[in-house]
């Protein structure tokens, strides 16, 4: 598992100075291509240093490579998504509507049928229609990898950056955003990975109920660290910033999500030992590339470890410092998952 080999195709860690719920905050600097894309983010919003910023990185890269133009829309709540989808879909200048996040599914199922001549890309959900390209991820596989890392570290004496493990126990925590099946897939993979390292390890989990509540994220994670957790993994969007703050305060470790958060949230890089990277940027980029090349196809794109759609990337301050036996063990489990020798659960009932 080499950190930089995983992050090869596009720049990461982009943040945007865009704010508010809006449609039409466009970028008119497109060059060669006459393609225009409308992109609607999830309610976590731009600047989350995670899921939405990865999508933004993908469209920025498409702008740089193809000279496309794009318009952003940031919903304040899921109820805003229907109008935003319809505005973009009915705009004859828009060639592709990118819908980022599972909350788009219900509205898009209706709008894709009504706007049958428009093309849509949907990330994190599935709408079966002739004009929708769906991008889903095998989050449980990447989460298994970071869980395996957390479990290995929790069972050894390890100190680096601003963190160290407590050798009196073996415990790793998980903080989710909203308690939904998608995030439980992260949780299930993480717990299975930790138990792969040590079947007796304790794995407390809790949900903040929000994608943008770092105070609650910090409160939950602080409780886990106080109870002896060495590492806490979050799958909680902007709420995860509070997990990182708690890790620094406790002198323990944290694991980021979606983006390489040792870069996108660099002020916490001394405790972010790794991130479970999910290539939302690649999904956005490839959907646009297909339109640019007149190769758009509807259907499923389910991306896992083998496709490098998900995976573990070691934090920039920890790259080269982890013990060799840990790195080797992670590579072994990665290959075993790809080969089908490890069956990673995608729900909590199968743990």
């Amino acid at each position: 598992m080499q950190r930089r080999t995983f992050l090869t195709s596009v720049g990461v860690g982009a943040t945007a100075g865009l704010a508010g719920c809006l449609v039409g905050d466009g970028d008119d600097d497109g060059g060669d291509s006459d393609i225009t894309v409308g992109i609607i983010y999830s309610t976590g919003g731009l600047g989350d240093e995670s899921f939405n910023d990865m999508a933004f990185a993908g469209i920025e890269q498409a702008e740089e490579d193809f000279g496309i133009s794009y318009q952003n829309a940031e919903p304040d709540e899921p109820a805003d998504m229907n109008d935003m989808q319809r505005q973009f879909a009915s705009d004859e200048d828009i060639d592709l509507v990118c819908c980022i996040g599972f909350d788009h599914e219900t509205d898009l199922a209706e709008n894709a049928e009504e706007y049958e001549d428009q093309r849509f890309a949907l990330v994190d959900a599935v709408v079966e229609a002739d004009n929708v390209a769906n991008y889903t991820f095998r989050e449980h596989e990447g989460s298994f990898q970071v869980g395996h890392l957390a479990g290995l570290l929790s069972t050894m004496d390890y100190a680096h950056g601003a963190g160290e493990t407590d050798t009196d126990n073996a415990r790793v925590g998980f903080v989710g955003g909203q308690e939904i099946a998608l995030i439980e897939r992260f949780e299930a993979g993480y717990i299975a990975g930790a138990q792969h390292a040590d079947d007796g390890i304790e794995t407390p989990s809790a949900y903040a109920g929000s994608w943008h509540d770092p105070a609650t994220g910090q409160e939950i994670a602080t409780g886990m660290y106080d109870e002896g957790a060495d590492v806490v993994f979050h799958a909680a969007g902007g709420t995860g910033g509070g997990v990182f703050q708690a890790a620094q305060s406790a002198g323990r470790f944290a694991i980021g999500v979606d983006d390489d958060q040792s870069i996108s949230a660099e002020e916490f890089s001394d405790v972010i030992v790794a991130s479970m990277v999910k290539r939302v940027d690649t999904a956005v980029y490839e959907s646009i590339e297909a339109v640019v090349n007149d190769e758009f196809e509807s259907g499923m794109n389910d991306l896992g470890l083998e496709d490098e759609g998900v995976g573990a990337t070691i934090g920039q301050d920890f790259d080269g410092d982890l013990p060799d036996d840990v790195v080797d063990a992670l590579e072994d489990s990665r290959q075993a998952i790809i080969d089908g020798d490890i069956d990673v659960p995608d729900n909590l009932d199968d743990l």
Side-chain angles (χ1 to χ4, degrees), residues 87-122:
Q87 286 186 56
F88 279 153
S90 61
D91 187 337
E92 61 182 17
D93 293 328
I94 299 291
D95 301 285
L96 173 70
V97 182
C98 289
C99 300
I100 308 302
F102 67 91
D103 281 342
H104 284 278
E105 179 180 353
T106 301
D107 294 320
L108 185 56
E110 296 181 0
N111 290 328
E113 181 176 356
E114 180 171 349
Y115 298 95
E116 60 182 1
D117 294 330
Q118 182 59 270
R119 290 166 291 203
F120 298 91
L122 175 60

Side-chain angles (χ1 to χ4, degrees), residues 114-334:
E114 180 171 349
Y115 298 95
E116 60 182 1
D117 294 330
Q118 182 59 270
R119 290 166 291 203
F120 298 91
L122 175 60
V123 173
D124 262 3
V126 176
V127 169
E128 296 183 0
D130 291 340
N131 54 344
V132 180
N134 301 282
Y135 292 85
T136 57
F137 298 86
R138 300 178 64 79
E139 293 91 352
H140 47 297
E141 293 183 353
S143 298
F144 184 100
Q145 282 268 275
V146 294
H148 190 196
L149 170 61
L152 290 170
L153 292 182
S154 189
T155 54
M156 66 173 58
D157 185 4
Y158 179 70
H160 187 69
E164 62 180 345
T165 57
D166 176 1
T167 55
D168 291 339
N169 58 70
R171 180 177 295 179
V172 300
F174 173 83
V175 176
Q178 294 180 2
E179 192 167 5
I180 56 176
L182 172 66
I183 302 303
E184 288 181 348
R185 198 151 64 222
F186 287 82
E187 181 185 356
Y190 179 69
I191 292 173
Q195 291 175 342
H196 184 71
D198 180 349
D199 58 10
I201 197 167
E202 296 178 70
T203 56
S205 298
Y207 283 76
S210 171
W211 307 114
H212 37 73
D213 186 357
T216 297
Q218 183 174 6
E219 180 181 358
I220 293 171
T222 295
M224 291 178 175
Y225 291 124
D226 287 347
E227 292 296 321
D230 294 303
V231 186
V232 175
F233 171 41
H234 88 86
T239 299
V243 174
F244 300 150
Q245 290 177 324
Q248 280 187 334
S249 296
R252 301 297 184 207
F253 300 112
I255 294 176
V257 74
D258 295 338
D259 201 349
D260 179 352
Q261 294 204 280
S262 73
I263 296 174
S264 63
E266 190 169 13
E267 65 270 32
F268 303 111
S269 65
D270 56 358
V271 294
I272 300 175
V273 65
S275 296
M276 201 296 275
V277 176
K278 173 173 157 177
R279 300 309 298 263
V280 179
D281 53 346
T282 299
V284 170
Y285 181 90
E286 290 187 353
S287 69
I288 297 170
E289 182 179 33
V291 173
V292 170
N293 293 332
D294 197 24
E295 296 173 345
F296 178 86
E297 292 184 359
S298 61
M300 282 298 304
N301 301 275
D302 187 33
L303 307 176
L305 274 180
E306 187 170 14
D307 317 289
E308 297 191 348
V310 297
T313 187
I314 303 304
Q316 60 178 335
D317 287 2
F318 294 82
D319 194 23
D321 185 78
L322 292 176
D324 289 343
D325 57 344
V326 170
V327 175
D328 292 344
L330 291 175
E331 179 54 36
D332 289 346
S333 65
R334 176 182 177 277

